[in-house]
């Protein structure tokens, strides 16, 4: 039996044990926390062993102009994404031990050559201190507690804001991390989100509600918590009407950036995708007989709706069929803890004192994972925290979670595998780039094709030019 409070306390304690570097300044900065836990159920026992194998904090994304064709920039630093990418490092380490002939407590050989599967009784759980940004955060308001994603305050095509004010905005200098021209994912500039964050510490404004989408008879529910993530092109646009009908629900959204639009889908969308494709990704699917899913998702104390979480994470993909062997539609157990993250936005506001300046989201992201070599990785703006411009573009600046570093870790796993034990999908002599290795994971790509066709046809496609590094 999983106890949500025990999960939350385990994650918070793991965070408390980390060094100070990259953590929010108490009373002035807030952040979000997510973690992946390994769950082990013993035979003939109701008790479970829980171990945090990866933990992440963060709330930021880089703009599309800062993305790198070398794969050396961390694009999405939201806590859930950081925790998942740290878990990939953990999985690679465990597979490395398995293919090297050492006993693995996580994996055992599967029937097919070069394939592995989880040991009996082992599963994974995702904890997040707040509901994932995007669709899962569009929930009825029952109190005045704020949410981390700032309010969408205007629609540039309409020429007006929520308050009817004409706000002039200065264009920010685009990021210098890349020169590629990529398709624009949102018509409005993401500065609306940044401006709303500077206007109000909590980034959220409430307006009188229309209760058409709320439960009848509940007089406390007058609005919905709003998300700064914007609908992808082609999806039903947000009505932006007062109250409960401000947002469209169930649609794909991209995360807001600091001035420059991002290409990162919301955490709600990514969790829904992982619920079909697994969180192991295309590369590790070469080695795994079955996709890895989060059997349980636990949310910390925050505004929460079980119905909305189920809609965002499960319902949208529930009818996907014709998946290849090893893939299925996972419907995780959804739980909420009564314990709040000490560095949540709400707790930071309560601890804020005069003279500390305005409250803001912490600019750094922390990754810790249970690996032997360099378990801690602190980043800011897609690079290692504290690096100077002089070392940008060198290994010293790279996060251990960026695509290039994870790809190199995967290649070291391939090199450590005896040639006779290589999975069939890795036996081609034509595998050179990151793109090549992802495309060669055929079962994963077939599952992704079915998910796109049946549930997410508007999911933006990755620019191949950003995936050709080696």
């Amino acid at each position: 039996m999983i106890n949500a409070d025990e999960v939350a306390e385990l994650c918070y304690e793991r965070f408390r044990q980390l060094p100070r570097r990259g953590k929010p300044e108490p009373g002035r900065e807030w952040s979000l926390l997510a973690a992946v836990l390994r769950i082990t159920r013993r035979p003939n026992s109701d008790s479970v062993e829980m171990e945090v194998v990866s933990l992440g904090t963060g709330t930021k994304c880089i703009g599309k102009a800062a993305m790198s064709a070398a794969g050396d920039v961390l694009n999405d630093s939201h806590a859930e994404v950081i925790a998942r990418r740290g878990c990939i490092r953990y999985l690679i380490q465990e597979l490395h031990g398995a293919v090297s002939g050492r006993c693995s407590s996580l994996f055992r050989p599967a029937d097919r050559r070069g394939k592995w599967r989880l040991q009996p009784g082992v599963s994974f759980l995702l904890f997040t201190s707040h509901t994932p940004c995007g669709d899962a955060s569009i929930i009825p308001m029952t109190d005045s507690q704020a949410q981390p994603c700032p309010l969408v305050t205007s629609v540039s095509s309409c020429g007006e804001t929520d308050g009817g004010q004409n706000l002039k905005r200065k264009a920010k200098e685009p990021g210098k991390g890349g020169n590629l021209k990529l398709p624009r994912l949102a018509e409005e500039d993401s500065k609306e989100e940044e401006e709303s964050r500077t206007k109000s510490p909590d980034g959220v404004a409430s307006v009188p509600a229309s209760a058409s989408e709320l439960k009848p008879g509940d007089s406390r529910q007058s609005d919905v918590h709003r998300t700064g993530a914007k609908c992808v092109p082609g999806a039903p646009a947000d009505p932006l009407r007062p109250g409960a009908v401000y947002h469209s629900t169930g649609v794909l959204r991209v995360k807001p950036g600091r001035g420059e639009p991002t290409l990162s889908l919301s955490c709600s969308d990514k969790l829904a995708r992982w619920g079909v494709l697994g969180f192991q990704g295309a590369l590790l699917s070469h080695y795994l007989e079955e996709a890895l899913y989060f059997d349980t998702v636990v949310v910390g104390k925050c505004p929460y709706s079980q119905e909305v979480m189920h809609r965002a994470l499960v319902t949208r993909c529930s009818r996907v069929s014709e998946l290849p062997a090893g893939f299925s539609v996972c419907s995780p157990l959804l739980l909420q803890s009564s314990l709040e993250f000490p560095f949540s936005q709400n707790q930071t506001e309560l601890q804020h004192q005069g003279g500390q300046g305005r409250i803001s989201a912490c600019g750094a992201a922390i990754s810790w994972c249970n690996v032997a070599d360099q378990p801690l990785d602190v980043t800011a703006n897609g690079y290692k925290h504290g690096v100077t411009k002089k070392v940008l573009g060198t290994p010293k600046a790279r996060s251990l979670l960026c695509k290039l570093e994870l790809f190199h870790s995967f290649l070291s796993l391939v090199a450590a595998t005896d040639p006779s034990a290589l999975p069939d999908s890795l036996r081609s002599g034509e595998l050179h780039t990151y793109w090549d290795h992802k495309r060669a994971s055929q079962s994963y790509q077939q599952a992704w094709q079915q998910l796109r066709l049946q549930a997410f046809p508007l999911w933006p496609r990755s620019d191949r030019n950003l995936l050709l590094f080696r």
Side-chain angles (χ1 to χ4, degrees), residues 17 46 104 186 212 217 219 250 284 296 301 367 430 468:
Q17 293 172 1
D46 292 333
S104 173
S212 61
S219 60
L284 290 190
T296 306
K301 182 180 179 182
S367 168
E430 302 300 317
L468 297 178

Side-chain angles (χ1 to χ4, degrees), residues 229-391:
K230 295 186 176 182
C231 305
V232 297
D238 287 320
L240 306 183
R241 297 203 302 270
V245 292
Y246 187 87
H247 280 307
S248 297
T249 58
V251 300
L252 294 172
R253 294 175 177 273
V254 289
K255 293 170 180 173
R258 293 179 62 84
E260 176 72 16
T262 80
L263 302 186
S264 297
L265 273 289
S266 76
C267 288
S268 293
D269 300 331
K270 291 187 175 183
L271 263 69
R273 171 179 164 171
W274 300 339
V276 177
L277 304 184
F279 63 85
Q280 78 290 331
L283 296 184
L284 290 190
S285 292
H286 285 289
Y287 277 89
L288 299 177
E289 187 173 65
E290 296 178 341
L292 303 182
Y293 299 105
F294 294 121
D295 288 0
T296 306
V297 175
V298 178
V299 178
K301 182 180 179 182
C302 67
Y304 180 84
S305 165
Q306 186 86 354
E307 181 181 354
V308 171
M309 278 286 289
H310 194 272
R311 176 193 73 204
L313 272 57
V314 180
T315 305
R316 294 189 291 172
C317 303
S318 61
R319 297 193 177 186
V320 174
S321 59
E322 300 181 36
L323 294 169
F327 294 87
S328 61
V329 177
C330 176
S331 181
L333 174 66
L334 303 176
L335 301 174
Q336 187 184 27
S337 168
S338 64
L339 304 180
E340 188 170 8
F341 182 42
F343 287 94
S344 69
Q345 188 173 354
N346 180 57
Q347 286 297 310
T348 301
E349 290 170 355
L350 293 175
Q351 299 163 14
H352 184 69
Q353 297 179 358
Q356 284 189 290
R358 72 178 182 90
I359 294 173
S360 62
C362 181
I366 300 172
S367 168
W368 175 89
C369 56
N370 186 15
V371 296
D373 185 33
Q374 296 182 277
L376 191 65
D377 187 59
V378 183
T379 58
N381 300 315
Y383 294 101
K384 275 195 179 297
H385 187 264
V387 299
T388 61
K389 288 185 178 180
K390 186 166 65 174
V391 301

Side-chain angles (χ1 to χ4, degrees), residues 78-323:
H78 280 220
E80 295 93 328
V81 175
I82 295 289
R84 180 257 175 183
R85 295 184 78 82
C87 187
I88 298 299
R89 293 188 65 205
Y90 168 74
L91 294 173
I92 291 176
Q93 173 187 267
E94 293 300 306
L95 281 168
H96 207 290
V99 302
S100 300
R102 299 192 295 271
C103 181
S104 173
S105 63
L106 184 63
F107 292 113
R108 59 189 169 114
D111 295 333
R112 294 165 58 195
R113 179 173 61 181
K115 294 287 189 176
W116 299 83
R117 62 186 309 162
L118 291 177
Q119 294 281 7
V122 174
S123 62
F124 290 95
L125 176 152
L126 177 71
F127 172 79
T128 176
S129 64
H130 198 282
T131 49
C133 68
D135 200 53
S137 287
I138 305 173
I139 61 179
M141 238 181 218
T142 57
D143 53 40
S144 59
Q145 187 173 11
Q147 64 189 33
C149 288
L151 168 66
V152 180
T153 57
S154 70
V155 179
S156 58
S157 60
C158 297
E160 62 185 30
T161 67
D162 290 340
Q165 300 174 353
N166 183 19
L167 301 177
K168 295 182 179 179
R169 300 177 176 84
K170 295 180 180 180
K172 289 190 177 182
E173 181 182 1
K176 299 179 181 179
N179 299 316
L180 292 171
K181 283 192 172 183
L182 302 179
R184 192 176 182 87
L185 277 187
E187 293 181 2
E188 301 84 35
D189 194 285
S190 296
K191 289 190 287 294
E192 285 93 341
E193 282 77 14
E194 179 62 18
E195 185 160 3
S196 73
R197 191 181 291 117
T198 58
K199 287 174 62 180
S200 168
D202 58 19
V204 177
S206 299
V207 292
S210 151
S212 61
E213 290 188 0
L214 306 178
K215 294 180 180 179
D218 192 342
S219 60
R220 297 175 302 162
Q221 297 177 339
S222 58
D223 201 353
V224 290
H225 290 273
R226 298 175 183 175
T227 179
K230 295 186 176 182
C231 305
V232 297
D238 287 320
L240 306 183
R241 297 203 302 270
V245 292
Y246 187 87
H247 280 307
S248 297
T249 58
V251 300
L252 294 172
R253 294 175 177 273
V254 289
K255 293 170 180 173
R258 293 179 62 84
E260 176 72 16
T262 80
L263 302 186
S264 297
L265 273 289
S266 76
C267 288
S268 293
D269 300 331
K270 291 187 175 183
L271 263 69
R273 171 179 164 171
W274 300 339
V276 177
L277 304 184
F279 63 85
Q280 78 290 331
L283 296 184
L284 290 190
S285 292
H286 285 289
Y287 277 89
L288 299 177
E289 187 173 65
E290 296 178 341
L292 303 182
Y293 299 105
F294 294 121
D295 288 0
T296 306
V297 175
V298 178
V299 178
K301 182 180 179 182
C302 67
Y304 180 84
S305 165
Q306 186 86 354
E307 181 181 354
V308 171
M309 278 286 289
H310 194 272
R311 176 193 73 204
L313 272 57
V314 180
T315 305
R316 294 189 291 172
C317 303
S318 61
R319 297 193 177 186
V320 174
S321 59
E322 300 181 36
L323 294 169

